[in-house]
Amino acid sequence: MQAATTLTGDWTMVVTALLLAVCMGLWASGIVAEVVTAMIFFAAAMLFKLAPAATVFSGFSSSAFWLVLSGMVVGLAITRTGLGTRLARSLAGRLTGSYTGFVAVIVTLSFALAFVMPSNLGRIALLIPVVLALCDAFGLEPGRPGRNGAVLAVALATPLLSAAILPANVPNLVMAGTAETQYGLHVGYLPYLLLHAPILAGVKGILLVAVIVRLFPDRMSPATIGIGETGPAFSAPEVRLTIILALTLGFWVTDSLHHIAPAWIGLIAAVICLLPRVGVLPAEAFGAVNLRTCFYVAALLGLVAVINETGLGARLGHVLLAVAPLEHGASAQNFGVLTITAALFAIAVTANGAPALYTALAGEMSRASGLDLASVVMIQVVGYSTLFLPYQAPPIVMAMDLGRVPLRSATILTLVVGLSSLLIVTPLDYLWWRILGQIP
């Protein structure tokens, strides 16, 4: 009887491993749409009875799912009211005739917008048309290196720098949702920002500007249109949305005082946006929300839950630990190994899928390295925000398409920034963590 039980358990683990390989392969290659792969996971997991329904569909009860959904609603509100375009053009008005300053403003704008618009794809869709208009205004015609550099500044700054803001991109939400579901680990907005923003946003932003200016040198002509014009006066919906965003950001920053998770603050903001008279969107606008990303996040979290329930996570952890040089007391070595591990996961299964796999193994890696669980979970952010190829982040591919940037240009920039980040940003991040006392 015991042998039969063991055989069944092994069979379940094998099928789970095959499903993991299929799903991650499809998500990484993009052969089918992300939501189709998500549905394949749900259907296969239930068909083969890999885990109870509560486990398979646990992603829908995760705070990450609801934060992504609320972010989509808020992003739609910013776009439809015109507030996003107003903000973008207003900040762009600080441009000078310097090409370096132009790229720096674009990178800064891409990061700043992440505080109020928690959707990488939404920010790309908003900023690329504005940046192309600015390029035309400053004489950076199609085919010019400066135009490609400006578009790629948005493309890379949007997913890379937003990693420093907890609710600002999908990988962060997958990481936080998996950590909460699996370990009961709550990630606070402000502590997360303090830990990651100075280096992952500040230093990496400067590095990104320097590399773009070096690889895509150009000169700007005098502006041919008025830049920074705010247009007509603020409309009533824009005023209401500004108040909603200010209150939302305020509650996010002070979550250590009121202990309300960022997901539920975002969900309340989304509800207010959809309320009649008070809000800024008609209820019918919810039909325009892209639910594919929400299902994708739910499937990722459900896949991790199934991996853990079947014991596959522990088995993978033991295999990884057999080759990963993690040692007690070697904090610098452990920091580097864990960062590279997360970066390699991002190459294998894209930046969106890497947090699901990494976090599932975080407990084993914590025991092997001697680092506390929270630190091990947080180190992955340094890794999955270090990208080497465009396909690793869908926002980069989307920006390339909208801005008509050649794949070769994007690949060269992503590779150079990735290698430079690994050699420069990662050691500085380690020193910053030591200063904060996050690691011994």
Side-chain angles (χ1 to χ4, degrees):
M1 184 68 177
Q2 181 64 37
T5 303
T6 303
L7 182 61
T8 302
D10 288 344
W11 168 249
T12 300
M13 196 178 299
V14 169
V15 175
T16 302
L18 290 174
L19 183 58
L20 170 65
V22 169
C23 290
M24 289 304 179
L26 291 176
W27 276 324
S29 64
I31 295 176
V32 299
E34 292 175 342
V35 67
V36 175
T37 305
M39 299 299 285
I40 290 173
F41 160 71
F42 292 129
M46 294 305 298
L47 178 64
F48 292 104
K49 299 181 179 180
L50 300 181
T55 301
V56 174
F57 298 104
S58 61
F60 290 101
S61 63
S62 167
S63 60
F65 173 85
W66 293 101
L67 190 51
V68 170
L69 179 59
S70 60
M72 294 291 182
V73 174
V74 172
L76 182 65
I78 291 175
T79 301
R80 290 205 173 181
T81 60
L83 182 62
T85 301
R86 180 188 296 275
L87 174 63
R89 294 189 67 86
S90 176
L91 292 177
R94 304 184 183 278
L95 289 170
T96 65
S98 164
Y99 174 63
T100 301
F102 179 47
V103 174
V105 167
I106 291 174
V107 170
T108 302
L109 176 58
S110 300
F111 174 67
L113 200 58
F115 281 97
V116 296
M117 191 173 185
S119 168
N120 277 339
L121 296 178
R123 294 194 299 276
I124 290 289
L126 174 67
L127 287 176
I128 290 297
V130 174
V131 168
L132 292 178
L134 293 173
C135 286
D136 292 337
F138 285 105
L140 299 176
E141 298 93 356
R144 289 274 296 269
R147 190 182 186 93
N148 291 340
V151 171
L152 290 175
V154 177
L156 268 70
T158 297
L160 297 186
L161 306 191
S162 65
I165 305 171
L166 181 58
N169 66 24
V170 171
N172 289 0
L173 299 178
V174 173
M175 176 272 297
T178 307
E180 178 187 17
T181 302
Q182 186 170 343
Y183 307 112
L185 185 64
H186 172 69
V187 182
Y189 182 95
L190 204 55
Y192 182 95
L193 187 67
L194 175 63
L195 186 63
H196 293 298
I199 307 299
L200 288 187
V203 175
K204 186 173 285 189
I206 295 172
L207 176 65
L208 179 60
V209 172
V211 173
I212 289 176
V213 171
R214 178 69 175 176
L215 293 180
F216 305 95
D218 213 326
R219 297 178 64 86
M220 296 168 59
S221 304
T224 57
I225 61 173
I227 304 300
E229 297 175 355
T230 57
F234 274 78
S235 64
E238 284 180 290
V239 172
R240 293 199 298 273
L241 182 57
T242 299
I243 295 173
I244 294 170
L245 292 176
L247 291 173
T248 301
L249 184 59
F251 275 99
W252 274 342
V253 171
T254 57
D255 67 343
S256 61
L257 300 178
H258 52 67
H259 304 295
I260 302 175
W264 315 136
I265 296 171
L267 186 57
I268 292 172
V271 170
I272 295 175
C273 285
L274 292 166
L275 287 176
R277 298 182 182 274
V278 178
V280 296
L281 291 172
E284 296 77 18
F286 188 81
V289 172
N290 181 5
L291 295 177
R292 293 179 298 177
T293 302
C294 301
F295 270 76
Y296 170 57
V297 171
L300 270 176
L301 297 176
L303 178 57
V304 171
V306 172
I307 288 172
N308 291 326
E309 179 136 337
T310 59
L312 179 61
R315 183 73 62 87
L316 290 175
H318 291 308
V319 173
L320 176 64
L321 294 176
V323 297
L326 297 173
E327 301 177 10
H328 281 248
S331 59
Q333 175 178 314
N334 293 333
F335 190 95
V337 169
L338 294 174
T339 298
I340 292 174
T341 299
L344 291 176
F345 281 169
I347 292 175
V349 297
T350 75
N352 288 347
L357 284 182
Y358 180 102
T359 309
L361 306 177
E364 295 286 336
M365 293 188 289
S366 174
R367 285 186 284 273
S369 64
L371 297 175
D372 66 276
L373 179 62
S375 295
V376 171
V377 170
M378 286 295 102
I379 288 173
Q380 70 175 299
V381 181
V382 184
Y384 66 62
S385 64
T386 303
L387 306 179
F388 301 97
L389 297 169
Y391 83 88
Q392 293 181 253
I396 297 179
V397 178
M398 178 180 177
M400 287 167 46
D401 182 60
L402 293 175
R404 299 186 182 279
V405 175
L407 176 60
R408 181 176 181 275
S409 298
T411 300
I412 292 174
L413 177 61
T414 308
L415 184 60
V416 172
V417 171
L419 292 174
S420 301
S421 297
L422 201 60
L423 297 175
I424 298 172
V425 176
T426 300
L428 291 177
D429 232 318
Y430 171 73
L431 294 176
W432 176 244
W433 287 39
R434 289 291 299 270
I435 292 173
L436 294 178
Q438 181 70 30
I439 55 177

